[in-house]
Amino acid sequence: MMISEKKRLVIPLLGAPGIKLTGTTLKQNLIDPSIQFKTLYKILERFNPDGIFPFMDLTVEAEALGLKIDFPENENPSVREHPIKDREALAELKRKWNGISGRMKVFIKVCEMMVKEFDRIKGGYVIGPFTLAGELMGVNDLGINVLEEPEFVKEVVEFTTKVILEYAKVLFETGIDVVAVLEPTAVILSPQLFKEFSMKYFKYLSSEIKRPLIYHICGNTKHLIEDMGKSGAWGLSLDSAVDLKWASEIVPSKVNLIGNLDPVGVFLQGSPEMVYERTWKLLERMKDVENFILSSGCDIPVGTPLENIDAFMQAAKNF
């Protein structure tokens, strides 16, 4: 991976806001690799970050497993139903799983094009095993079953880990540098349950793939940070609720800390002046932390003014 030790890396989680640059819809980008690549190309041209990821989409693996998806034109798609309520349904799903399918192929193609054309850090995304279990079972049922039917939940998570491992390996085969594992649902877990139902499977992915993985959990993950730092992750992508300076004192220095300007309160709703000021403040606070990569706390929303992303990049450049 191309990482300069002298330069502070700036890699905002862009994608969706770029549809304004190509006059396309979010849906078009999520179903057509050539449209998505064109948008990513325009994003690089305008903002020039040090790294780029495809569009973030938490329904790709669920859809590949046969779940029905609601797919609006300019909002994130969502899973319509959560069919895995018992072992019988899980056994049926396992029987039907037939390897890389559906829109996984869209994102594999996008990664191939990125590797061919882009001269900077290139990443991919997979959903996290526990979060995919939540898509299959429904998050409420998942939360209840973690306590009432833990063995059943483990069976589901073991299966989702297998699916994700298969997909992540193919993404890496395209030549990308890093894969972010998106595990937002893990934020509901206590530290003990987190180790048992999320981190154990992340560590397994890491040991099997032996390539750089980023652990991304949205929201307030202060109760999980210490364990996340021991997960074998190359980097932790943390949301704006976490004080990154505090995290840097807990997480080993060999693990990169990635974040964490508020994607909604700052990027989407702020003015360019506010974005610039908050970015500067974060850089100032983290200036002595060598394992810090400047980014957004999560995916930057679709309606974000492009001028706000300009201001973010400008602050980073000027700092």
Side-chain angles (χ1 to χ4, degrees):
M1 200 182 311
M2 302 177 306
I3 292 192
S4 152
E5 291 186 7
K6 291 175 186 163
K7 186 181 173 210
R8 168 77 69 216
L9 291 172
V10 184
I11 310 178
L13 303 184
L14 282 163
I19 66 174
K20 293 176 187 168
L21 296 170
T22 45
T24 53
T25 67
L26 187 55
K27 184 175 181 177
Q28 285 173 320
N29 283 273
L30 296 177
I31 63 175
D32 186 326
S34 58
I35 291 176
Q36 185 176 152
F37 176 75
K38 189 178 168 191
T39 304
L40 295 172
Y41 189 91
K42 291 281 186 190
I43 285 169
L44 279 193
E45 210 172 49
R46 168 136 179 188
F47 303 115
N48 196 27
D50 297 312
I52 185 106
F53 283 76
F55 279 53
M56 192 183 281
D57 182 347
L58 286 162
T59 65
V60 172
E61 293 89 344
E63 189 182 29
L65 285 165
L67 272 66
K68 291 189 171 64
I69 305 294
D70 284 324
F71 220 135
E73 285 300 322
N74 277 316
E75 288 172 44
N76 290 320
S78 58
V79 174
R80 189 186 305 166
E81 54 177 11
H82 311 284
I84 307 306
K85 302 299 181 193
D86 53 38
R87 283 184 170 86
E88 200 178 324
L90 177 61
E92 180 64 18
L93 190 68
K94 286 179 178 177
R95 271 197 300 278
K96 283 184 180 167
W97 171 245
N98 184 12
I100 300 299
S101 54
R103 285 185 305 112
M104 287 177 169
K105 293 176 181 174
V106 169
F107 287 87
I108 291 163
K109 182 69 182 163
V110 169
C111 287
E112 285 171 353
M113 294 160 93
M114 283 164 51
V115 168
K116 197 173 163 200
E117 299 292 337
F118 295 162
D119 61 347
R120 59 206 68 207
I121 296 166
K122 295 160 284 285
Y125 290 123
V126 296
I127 196 171
F130 187 72
T131 301
L132 183 53
E135 298 284 35
L136 297 178
M137 301 173 76
V139 174
N140 285 345
D141 286 0
L142 177 67
I144 292 164
N145 283 329
V146 158
L147 302 173
E148 293 185 359
E149 295 271 0
E151 293 312 311
F152 176 49
V153 173
K154 282 175 187 169
E155 285 174 39
V156 176
V157 179
E158 275 161 23
F159 172 63
T160 59
T161 304
K162 182 185 159 203
V163 171
I164 291 158
L165 177 61
E166 206 171 323
Y167 183 32
K169 279 182 170 174
V170 178
L171 287 174
F172 272 120
E173 280 165 17
T174 67
I176 58 171
D177 303 296
V178 61
V179 165
V181 179
L182 307 172
E183 189 72 299
T185 308
V187 77
I188 68 172
L189 296 168
S190 68
Q192 184 51 47
L193 292 173
F194 172 70
K195 283 192 274 233
E196 211 175 323
F197 290 96
S198 176
M199 183 168 142
K200 174 184 168 184
Y201 301 97
F202 181 92
K203 285 175 96 163
Y204 174 75
L205 290 172
S206 181
S207 68
E208 286 292 308
I209 294 169
K210 298 181 175 63
R211 295 289 300 280
L213 294 181
I214 292 168
Y215 214 162
H216 173 80
I217 305 179
C218 312
N220 189 343
T221 49
K222 287 174 193 165
H223 61 303
L224 305 177
I225 296 290
E226 191 173 346
D227 289 318
M228 288 174 77
K230 299 172 185 168
S231 66
W234 175 84
L236 306 181
S237 170
L238 303 172
D239 213 341
S240 54
V242 178
D243 179 348
L244 282 189
K245 183 76 167 142
W246 167 81
S248 74
E249 287 152 20
I250 290 168
V251 172
S253 60
K254 66 176 191 274
V255 181
N256 292 291
L257 290 171
I258 306 161
N260 73 343
L261 220 61
D262 187 340
V264 176
V266 177
F267 274 106
L268 179 65
Q269 297 169 347
S271 63
E273 294 74 23
M274 176 194 180
V275 173
Y276 190 97
E277 180 204 331
R278 293 290 177 87
T279 306
W280 193 276
K281 203 179 271 183
L282 178 59
L283 284 162
E284 184 64 46
R285 186 153 171 72
M286 298 298 287
K287 69 174 187 274
D288 298 324
V289 181
E290 286 181 13
N291 54 327
F292 167 58
I293 296 172
L294 178 65
S295 185
S296 44
C298 192
D299 199 30
I300 298 177
V302 70
T304 299
L306 299 179
E307 297 73 25
N308 286 358
I309 303 165
D310 287 329
F312 171 83
M313 294 307 300
Q314 196 59 48
K317 192 176 164 189
N318 292 350
F319 193 84

